[in-house]
């Protein structure tokens, strides 16, 4: 979708459909919406008076202009209560409006920014919200169907602004919004790619191509190099697969590592999780191609860090493996020694995510990082705890926790803090090794015991684990998140990086 910022009067705009907005409860709109209402001889006030248009967040009302404006149709989108208005509401409104425009078969859409006028929102933030949400809502993940799509799509979005001084600010916000959205979509599309295509090698190649495009440093560790580093817990997961494991190391500002704060991001990259010999049930197994969402997010976030030229040294680590079964596969009861020298007993081969993260987090220990943050589709239990409303946040660092919660608030990608009590360590004590990878058959606090397992291998104080298993895929479309992989976590962590201060 082509997006342009245009200086001018909304009443002169030529498009298939024009989007204006309304705060909840407003009877006589002002600003741009008011001007459109006047041009339409009070048609917007009339639909408000009829109770059809209330300004409720995301509500859309379509009007026909019958020659009174150059645009044949006007769509009024609700912004919700003015007192509650923030970036999240601006994004939801933008997503709902562009979706409605698409359903009305519009190709060329014009819009005002939501909230920059009467809403009092900073014009940069307003333009970012508008562009980000519109792109996230409209992006279509490539399919493998033989027949091509014939449904008309919105091909252009023109943001119209009356105030000349706002134009450069809107340009700036639009660029930001595009980078963030396209980075999230990059992660989504990787997660959607079937695992027969998206093998560890394929993802490493995609990372290489992306790194070359945006200017990131990249190193890919092969199996032998991982062996030499002693990453035998990670490698145990890959043993059952014909696809060799890869360990991708991406760096933004590698050459300035000494002068800039370092942040390390780690992402679980299981390209397919059968469960191994602790085999998963058949029903939902096909979806386990998204068990590399954490890794895909890390690639997306590093892409954004490079394009935004953030003044940070950002390291992305993605262990990539396929969890399969063959004559060499790991078995329950096996014991492996990882990079830290600590040993681990396999209770369930389906608790493979924590195994690959154990060695990736150990590797993260070699950077003098201000924070290490991992993202993983780690447990089914996080869905039981939180449903689909927030990812689980596990950390004992109060500063990092506050920063992450602030980024969650700003982006609407919610996090909920979960307990990390030391008593949970009891449950992962092994009779023969330093730690065991599952508490089976005991199932209590499955999320917290998994986080305690990871902590066992972490060498930094400032570490946070995000369990995104419940958020990385959505069964039903939500604003900005069409059905399928969501890229949840990309916007959140890009926001964290953008606001990382001393
Ligand atoms: N990849 C799964 C977690 C998962 C489940 C992600 C559902 C998305 C949706 C993970 O590797 C796993 O299988 N975890 C086990 C851990 C258990 C064996 C301790 C689980 O949650 O059942
Ligand atoms: Zn598993
Ligand atoms: Zn898994």
């Amino acid at each position: 979708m082509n997006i342009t910022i245009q200086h001018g009067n909304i009443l002169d705009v030529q498009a298939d459909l024009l989007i204006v907005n309304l705060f909840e409860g407003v009877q006589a709109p002002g600003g741009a919406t008011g001007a459109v209402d006047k041009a339409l001889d009070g048609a917007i006030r009339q639909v408000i008076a009829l109770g059809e248009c209330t300004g409720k967040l995301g509500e859309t009302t379509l009007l026909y202009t019958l020659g009174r404006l150059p645009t044949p149709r006007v769509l009024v989108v609700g912004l919700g209560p003015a007192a509650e208005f923030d970036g999240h509401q601006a994004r939801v409104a933008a997503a709902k409006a562009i979706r409605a425009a698409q359903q009305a078969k519009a190709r060329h859409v014009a819009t005002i920014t939501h909230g920059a006028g009467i809403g009092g929102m900073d014009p940069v933030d307003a333009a970012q919200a508008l562009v980000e949400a519109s792109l996230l809502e409209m992006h279509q993940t490539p399919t493998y169907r033989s027949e091509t799509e014939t449904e008309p799509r919105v091909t252009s979005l023109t943001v119209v602004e009356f105030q000349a001084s706002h134009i450069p600010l809107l340009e700036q916000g639009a660029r930001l919004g595009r980078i963030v959205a396209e980075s999230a979509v990059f992660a989504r599309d990787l997660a959607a790619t079937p695992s027969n295509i998206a093998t560890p090698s394929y993802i490493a190649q995609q990372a290489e191509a992306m790194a070359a495009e945006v200017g990131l440093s990249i190193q890919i560790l092969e199996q032998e190099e991982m062996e030499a580093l002693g990453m035998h817990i990670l490698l145990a997961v890959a043993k059952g697969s014909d696809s060799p494991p890869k360990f991708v190391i991406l760096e933004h500002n590698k050459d300035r590592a000494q002068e800039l704060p370092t942040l390390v991001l780690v992402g679980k990259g299981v390209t397919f999780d059968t469960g191994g010999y602790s085999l998963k049930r058949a029903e939902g197994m096909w979806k386990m191609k998204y068990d590399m969402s954490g890794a895909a997010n890390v690639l997306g976030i590093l892409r954004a860090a490079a394009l935004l030229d953030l003044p940070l040294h950002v390291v992305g680590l993605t262990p990539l493996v396929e969890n399969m079964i063959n004559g060499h596969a790991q078995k329950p009861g096996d014991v492996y020694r990882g990079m830290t020298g600590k040993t681990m007993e396999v209770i369930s081969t389906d608790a493979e995510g924590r195994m690959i993260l154990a060695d990736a987090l150990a590797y993260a220990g070699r950077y003098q990082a201000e924070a290490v943050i991992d993202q993983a589709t780690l447990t089914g239990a996080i869905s039981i705890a939180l449903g689909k409303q927030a990812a689980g946040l596990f950390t004992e660092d109060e500063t990092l926790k506050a920063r992450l919660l602030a980024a969650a608030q700003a982006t609407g990608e919610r996090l909920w803090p979960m307990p990390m009590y030391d008593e949970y360590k009891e449950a992962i004590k092994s009779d023969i090794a330093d730690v065991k990878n599952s508490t089976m058959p005991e199932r209590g606090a499955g999320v917290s015991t998994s986080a305690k397992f990871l902590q066992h291998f972490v060498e930094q104080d400032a570490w946070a684990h995000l369990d995104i298993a419940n958020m990385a895929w959505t069964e039903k479309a939500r604003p900005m998140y069409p059905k399928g992989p969501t890229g949840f976590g990309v916007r959140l962590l890009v926001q964290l990086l953008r606001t990382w201060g001393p």
Side-chain angles (χ1 to χ4, degrees), residues 203-231:
I203 294 177
Q205 277 163 16
Q206 296 297 307
E208 241 170 353
M210 183 273 287
E213 191 184 313
V214 304
L216 289 163
S217 311
I218 184 164
Q219 191 189 353
I220 297 168
L221 303 184
E222 303 294 333
Q223 176 155 345
E224 307 73 56
E225 292 161 283
M226 291 185 253
E227 266 162 20
L229 285 164
M231 295 177 155

Side-chain angles (χ1 to χ4, degrees), residues 268 270 273 288 291 350 352-353 377:
K268 169 177 171 181
V270 175
D273 184 9
M288 280 299 130
D291 211 16
D350 197 13
E352 84 299 335
T377 47

Side-chain angles (χ1 to χ4, degrees), residues 226-227 230-237 336-339 359:
M226 291 185 253
E227 266 162 20
M231 295 177 155
H232 301 293
I233 298 180
L234 186 168
L235 289 170
V237 181
Y336 298 97
R337 187 188 303 277
M339 189 177 165
D359 277 331

Side-chain angles (χ1 to χ4, degrees), residues 59-240:
E59 171 200 80
T60 54
T61 315
L62 191 61
L63 301 165
Y64 297 86
T65 67
L66 305 174
R68 294 191 189 94
L69 282 176
T71 322
R73 285 170 298 176
V74 166
L75 184 89
V76 186
V77 64
L79 299 183
E84 288 169 22
F85 190 75
D86 62 10
H88 181 61
Q89 276 173 286
R91 283 187 297 268
V92 170
K96 291 275 198 174
I98 198 92
R99 174 67 56 188
Q102 154 105 353
Q103 276 158 357
K105 320 280 184 218
R107 288 171 189 273
H108 302 289
V109 176
T111 184
I112 54 172
T113 54
H114 306 304
I118 303 165
M121 201 171 165
D122 176 65
V124 179
D125 294 344
Q128 182 190 346
L130 176 65
V131 170
E132 195 175 289
S134 303
L135 289 172
L136 288 169
E137 181 69 29
M138 283 294 103
H139 175 75
Q140 272 189 313
T141 297
T143 64
Y144 303 85
R145 288 196 201 103
S146 14
E147 276 168 38
T148 45
E149 198 71 60
T150 49
E151 272 285 286
R153 308 274 314 163
V154 177
T155 52
S156 76
L157 179 67
T158 308
V159 185
V160 188
E161 173 59 50
F162 191 62
Q163 233 173 297
S165 61
H166 279 186
I167 298 296
L169 303 175
L170 296 190
E171 300 271 7
Q172 192 190 331
R175 178 174 180 270
L176 202 56
R178 180 175 281 281
I179 292 172
V180 174
E182 287 179 350
S183 300
V185 151
F186 177 87
R188 256 197 222 164
D189 286 355
L190 269 183
T193 308
S195 74
N196 59 320
I197 299 168
T199 59
S201 305
Y202 174 90
I203 294 177
Q205 277 163 16
Q206 296 297 307
E208 241 170 353
M210 183 273 287
E213 191 184 313
V214 304
L216 289 163
S217 311
I218 184 164
Q219 191 189 353
I220 297 168
L221 303 184
E222 303 294 333
Q223 176 155 345
E224 307 73 56
E225 292 161 283
M226 291 185 253
E227 266 162 20
L229 285 164
M231 295 177 155
H232 301 293
I233 298 180
L234 186 168
L235 289 170
V237 181
K239 287 204 313 175

Side-chain angles (χ1 to χ4, degrees), residues 426-475:
E426 281 299 313
I428 50 168
K429 275 196 176 146
S430 160
D431 290 336
I432 63 166
D434 294 328
V435 69
K436 61 182 181 183
N437 79 339
S438 165
T439 60
M440 273 199 324
E442 173 54 49
R443 292 173 61 202
V447 287
S448 289
T449 53
S450 70
K452 280 317 237 193
F453 176 93
L454 297 180
Q455 192 177 41
H456 193 77
F457 299 91
V458 173
E459 289 174 347
Q460 270 88 5
D461 292 334
W463 163 70
H465 157 58
L466 310 181
D467 194 335
I468 58 168
N470 56 341
M471 303 306 285
W473 186 285
T474 182
E475 303 295 345

Side-chain angles (χ1 to χ4, degrees), residues 163-345:
Q163 233 173 297
S165 61
H166 279 186
I167 298 296
L169 303 175
L170 296 190
E171 300 271 7
Q172 192 190 331
R175 178 174 180 270
L176 202 56
R178 180 175 281 281
I179 292 172
V180 174
E182 287 179 350
S183 300
V185 151
F186 177 87
R188 256 197 222 164
D189 286 355
L190 269 183
T193 308
S195 74
N196 59 320
I197 299 168
T199 59
S201 305
Y202 174 90
I203 294 177
Q205 277 163 16
Q206 296 297 307
E208 241 170 353
M210 183 273 287
E213 191 184 313
V214 304
L216 289 163
S217 311
I218 184 164
Q219 191 189 353
I220 297 168
L221 303 184
E222 303 294 333
Q223 176 155 345
E224 307 73 56
E225 292 161 283
M226 291 185 253
E227 266 162 20
L229 285 164
M231 295 177 155
H232 301 293
I233 298 180
L234 186 168
L235 289 170
V237 181
K239 287 204 313 175
S241 170
D242 287 343
S243 299
K246 305 276 169 179
F247 191 101
V248 176
I249 305 163
L250 281 170
E251 278 180 80
H252 166 60
N253 282 330
K254 184 178 183 177
D255 48 345
R256 296 171 65 200
Q258 298 308 318
E259 52 177 296
L260 296 171
T262 297
L263 292 177
V264 181
L265 304 176
V266 183
K268 169 177 171 181
V270 175
T271 60
F272 195 78
D273 184 9
T274 65
Y277 277 103
S278 313
L279 191 62
K280 284 191 181 297
R281 296 149 59 90
E283 292 95 307
M285 199 201 280
W286 69 272
K287 250 200 307 179
M288 280 299 130
K289 63 176 184 176
Y290 85 101
D291 211 16
M292 35 56 78
S293 295
N297 282 359
V298 168
L299 304 187
I301 297 158
L302 266 286
R303 178 188 183 276
L307 292 172
L308 296 171
D309 197 17
L310 298 181
L312 296 168
H313 171 223
V314 190
V315 182
L317 304 176
T318 67
L320 298 162
V321 300
E322 192 182 40
N323 191 21
M324 301 285 283
I325 297 175
N326 65 17
H328 306 283
Q330 63 159 332
K331 303 172 293 307
D334 288 359
V335 172
Y336 298 97
R337 187 188 303 277
M339 189 177 165
T340 61
K342 290 177 182 156
T343 58
M344 184 217 73
E345 182 185 11

